[in-house]
Amino acid sequence: MSDTLPSVKETVFQILRNHGVDKVFGNPGSNELHFLRGFPEDFEYILCLDEGVVIGVADGYAQATGQPAFVNLHSAAGTGNAMGGLANARNSHSPIVVTAGQQARTMVYADPMLKNSDATMLPRPLVKDSFEPLSHEEVPHSINRALNSAMAPAKGPVYVSIPYDDWEKKVSENALQLVNRRVSHCGAPDKGLLERVSKQIQVAKSPVLILGPEVDSERCNALVAKLAEKLHAPAWVAPSAPRCPFPTGHRCFAGILPAGEAALCSHLQEHDLVIVIGGPVFRYHQNDPGTLIPDHAKLIHITSDSDEAARAPIGEAIVASVKSFVEALYDSLPPKQTECPSFRKEVRRNTSDDAVLSPETVYDVVDDLSPRDSIYLNEATSTLATLWSRVTMEYSGSYYFAAAGGLGFAMPAALGVQLASPERKVVAFIGDGSAHYSIAALWTAAKYNIPVVYVVINNKGYSALKWFADLFGVDDAVPGLTIEDVDFVKISEGYGVKAVKVNSVRDFKKHYKIALNMDRPFLIEVIV
Ligand code: TZD
């Protein structure tokens, strides 16, 4: 019987097929070659030249599809290089299964080269869970468990370390049960709870919505826009936003909240009820001590993340499927008889050919020229607020930003997002500082011909840190904030991605138009 049983590897690929996985994002080493031998034809291996790039591409892919991305890294060293990316993936609730090759079971006693010591400890606390199977029999179980755990709310990365002499061994008959398992998640809102929350909202004089990334990952953007309209409530994007949960051209769009206690609270003064949907309460960045919400206001928090609910410092939290709960809530609310006011703030624009080339003009030109369903990633860190106030994002999955603030996300993640959404144009804004953390993503863009438009906004240094230095009142003689003499056109072309440098609005318009119509990656270095 055992002759007819499949190997660990065959069983694992069957489990992956059952979960809709058909890509492996990786960077190989000696511990992974047994896994890669005889790589199945219905899978694609996407080679990235650095593990930070691997995780970034997988993160973009997992977020844009909402499905698991499968990663294969090299032992402890590869995992180490991936840690910054894992911090982002954990915070963006990206369902990634990260596997890493372990040395052979028969040799680990000798502490050989490329042994991953304490493998399950290494990626913690940046993964939801981590396993190292105790026998080859347990490998398919661990992969199945990792896939299901990564997809369980709140989603997130899970790590599995696999000794390389396990792959060709036979599994037992019981392991075959794993290849067509399915785990589904659902939850109907509790009627009594819904009625109570609905009443609380109906008696509020001036409710306000604050929307987090889960609204976008659950594709509820249009639903929360209808909710804002029904409530006549302004809709703010929660601070430190990794995604765009609300159509920015909508009349209820109020903007993005600042990431400090006092500054955030100052925008809520007129409101007696704060409704936070699909995100933490709140993800601050600047240390700006103050009251959390106005004294006269109450807070209701709707999230699928029980940990997010547990650690919130204020208000009533409801742990539920955001989509089901908000749908039911919307239906429970009566319509108003008057017209919904507008909360949008218009900005002044000048995109004439001879205007000053600045982040503002770059985003205005981009907004004028890009297809309405374009997808943006931003890692030109001093321009985050500028993008939010100037670029229209109407659809779900229109924006991605490093959820833990770890640079090196956007350049590779743009590739994963583009692989997941070939029908939409993906544009990544990268600062001349951020570009270096995952620059090798350009090779993967060229190799697999992934037609992302990279716009490198070159202001010769770390502008966002200069802003922080001002905020902290630290001496402006802080070292290490300036970068000069880097030529991104040469670097990009060295990796195989055509590139151009522009110094004027006229040239930016010309090349951006060309880039939008290209079917291969392109990089525009904008000198501001
Ligand atoms: N290292 C990593 C991995 N993540 C970080 N967030 C930082 C360092 C610190 N950092 C920031 O938070 S913003 C920033 C740094 C170095 C400056 C990025 O410069 P840029 O963009 O050129 O990309 P701006 O627009 O000039 O700020």
Side-chain angles (χ1 to χ4, degrees):
M1 180 67 184
S2 75
D3 282 354
T4 59
L5 285 168
S7 65
V8 167
K9 184 160 53 184
E10 285 163 335
T11 313
V12 165
F13 276 110
Q14 273 306 104
I15 291 170
L16 292 176
R17 286 185 188 97
N18 185 44
H19 284 259
V21 173
D22 63 1
K23 291 180 179 43
V24 175
F25 303 96
N27 185 267
S30 47
N31 292 0
E32 293 72 37
L33 296 177
H34 286 74
F35 166 64
L36 296 176
R37 179 163 73 182
F39 196 72
E41 279 180 4
D42 56 336
F43 277 73
E44 186 179 16
Y45 185 83
I46 308 274
L47 174 63
C48 306
L49 304 186
D50 170 277
E51 290 81 359
V53 177
V54 177
I55 290 290
V57 179
D59 191 350
Y61 187 79
Q63 287 196 62
T65 56
Q67 296 302 313
F70 192 78
V71 161
N72 187 235
L73 303 178
H74 184 46
S75 192
T79 305
N81 286 347
M83 295 285 268
L86 277 179
N88 288 325
R90 179 79 213 250
N91 279 282
S92 55
H93 296 317
S94 296
I96 306 176
V97 172
V98 181
T99 58
Q102 174 62 291
Q103 259 293 3
R105 284 186 194 276
T106 50
M107 203 177 44
V108 281
Y109 74 91
D111 219 15
M113 289 276 282
L114 297 161
K115 175 181 168 186
N116 189 353
S117 304
D118 281 338
T120 58
M121 292 294 289
L122 180 65
R124 289 176 185 273
L126 304 178
V127 290
K128 277 178 83 173
D129 213 340
S130 65
F131 316 118
E132 184 164 52
L134 289 175
S135 67
H136 76 272
E137 290 280 7
E138 202 190 349
V139 174
H141 292 270
S142 298
I143 297 290
N144 168 65
R145 184 171 169 188
L147 285 158
N148 289 327
S149 169
M151 288 296 287
K155 295 176 183 175
V158 178
Y159 186 80
V160 191
S161 162
I162 306 157
Y164 74 73
D165 48 353
D166 282 356
W167 289 112
E168 314 294 349
K169 293 186 181 143
K170 299 284 181 189
V171 297
S172 74
E173 208 158 346
N174 282 348
L176 303 182
Q177 300 293 339
L178 296 170
V179 305
N180 49 22
R181 286 202 65 226
R182 182 190 296 256
V183 176
S184 304
H185 297 269
C186 64
D190 176 88
K191 229 176 140 203
L193 179 64
L194 181 70
E195 265 173 31
R196 186 162 58 72
V197 172
S198 177
K199 278 219 181 83
Q200 211 179 332
I201 293 176
Q202 289 174 50
V203 297
K205 289 201 174 62
S206 175
V208 56
L209 297 182
I210 302 183
L211 305 166
E214 203 186 340
V215 170
D216 189 54
S217 59
E218 291 296 302
R219 306 279 186 260
C220 299
N221 314 48
L223 174 64
V224 292
K226 278 186 0 185
L227 180 68
E229 243 175 284
K230 205 169 196 182
L231 289 172
H232 290 193
W236 288 94
V237 174
S240 315
R243 310 216 7 181
C244 177
F246 199 83
T248 62
H250 191 277
R251 55 171 40 212
C252 292
F253 178 64
I256 180 164
L257 283 169
E261 288 170 3
L264 189 154
C265 185
S266 73
H267 290 278
L268 307 178
Q269 291 306 327
E270 291 165 20
H271 302 287
D272 59 347
L273 182 64
V274 180
I275 307 167
V276 183
I277 305 177
V281 176
F282 293 106
R283 196 152 162 79
Y284 300 113
H285 188 172
Q286 295 89 271
N287 186 17
D288 175 25
T291 313
L292 304 180
I293 60 169
D295 290 340
H296 57 268
K298 296 228 169 333
L299 186 142
I300 296 174
H301 180 198
I302 304 162
T303 173
S304 78
D305 184 342
S306 52
D307 192 40
E308 214 162 78
R311 68 173 190 265
I314 192 167
E316 170 174 2
I318 296 146
V319 180
S321 149
V322 162
K323 192 171 197 173
S324 317
F325 198 86
V326 176
E327 256 164 11
L329 189 61
Y330 176 82
D331 289 340
S332 75
L333 296 166
K336 291 206 192 320
Q337 301 310 326
T338 50
E339 203 196 333
C340 177
S342 175
F343 301 98
R344 275 196 88 233
K345 295 164 207 80
E346 297 296 337
V347 289
R348 286 178 54 181
R349 293 166 170 241
N350 175 7
T351 54
S352 60
D353 282 357
D354 51 6
V356 177
L357 187 58
S358 63
E360 286 76 8
T361 43
V362 167
Y363 289 128
D364 289 345
V365 168
V366 164
D367 195 44
D368 283 347
L369 298 181
S370 307
R372 275 288 157 253
D373 66 348
S374 297
I375 302 175
Y376 304 103
L377 292 92
N378 195 356
E379 208 164 283
T381 45
S382 62
T383 74
L384 295 178
T386 314
L387 181 146
W388 278 101
S389 63
R390 292 174 182 270
V391 177
T392 316
M393 296 180 277
E394 281 178 36
Y395 302 96
S396 297
S398 287
Y399 177 80
Y400 299 90
F401 173 75
L407 301 181
F409 163 82
M411 219 154 185
L415 301 177
V417 172
Q418 185 74 84
L419 284 171
S421 322
E423 69 296 347
R424 294 172 74 177
K425 199 72 209 167
V426 176
V427 183
F429 303 98
I430 313 287
D432 60 304
S434 301
H436 299 285
Y437 296 83
S438 289
I439 194 82
L442 290 171
W443 183 88
T444 301
K447 161 86 181 152
Y448 299 95
N449 198 25
I450 307 172
V452 166
V453 181
Y454 287 108
V455 178
V456 173
I457 301 184
N458 190 345
N459 55 18
K460 294 194 164 38
Y462 295 154
S463 226
L465 299 190
K466 292 175 189 163
W467 180 84
F468 265 101
D470 260 5
L471 183 81
F472 295 159
V474 295
D475 176 18
D476 60 7
V478 175
L481 302 186
T482 303
I483 317 168
E484 277 163 335
D485 302 327
V486 177
D487 186 332
F488 286 97
V489 173
K490 282 191 182 148
I491 295 175
S492 185
E493 298 206 330
Y495 277 116
V497 173
K498 287 251 169 287
V500 67
K501 197 185 304 263
V502 300
N503 287 290
S504 68
V505 173
R506 179 184 294 106
D507 281 356
F508 179 62
K509 281 186 195 165
K510 177 176 144 197
H511 289 290
Y512 188 66
K513 267 187 212 156
I514 295 171
L516 287 176
N517 290 308
M518 281 171 79
D519 55 5
R520 48 182 203 277
F522 190 61
L523 184 144
I524 307 177
E525 180 181 358
V526 182
I527 309 295
V528 294

